[in-house]
Amino acid sequence: MKVIVDLAKCQDHGQCAIAAPVVFQMNEEGKLVWDGNPDESQRFEAEEAADVCPVQAILIQD
């Protein structure tokens, strides 16, 4: 699984970090950081994070 974040769209709302804290985190500066190749066991959480993103900046690929 690959997680892609469109940083041109991302507004650092942090909803993804709440939905999938193992995959997405907010750094000390309030900017999004993420695991681009998380373990398959994180798929449900990553997909939930993509769904809750208010600007739909997250793409999950196989």
Side-chain angles (χ1 to χ4, degrees):
M1 169 178 55
K2 185 170 185 167
V3 176
I4 301 167
V5 177
D6 183 343
L7 293 177
K9 286 183 179 180
C10 179
Q11 297 176 356
D12 297 314
H13 290 112
Q15 296 300 308
C16 56
I18 295 168
V22 172
V23 180
F24 301 95
Q25 301 88 36
M26 303 304 287
N27 70 13
E28 311 79 45
E29 298 167 356
K31 297 293 182 185
L32 180 66
V33 293
W34 69 97
D35 180 354
N37 295 295
D39 187 78
E40 188 64 31
S41 66
Q42 296 299 315
R43 180 175 289 277
F44 178 79
E45 289 82 2
E47 289 176 348
E48 287 293 309
D51 288 344
V52 300
C53 178
V55 295
Q56 297 298 287
I58 302 168
L59 177 65
I60 310 297
Q61 293 182 333
D62 289 318

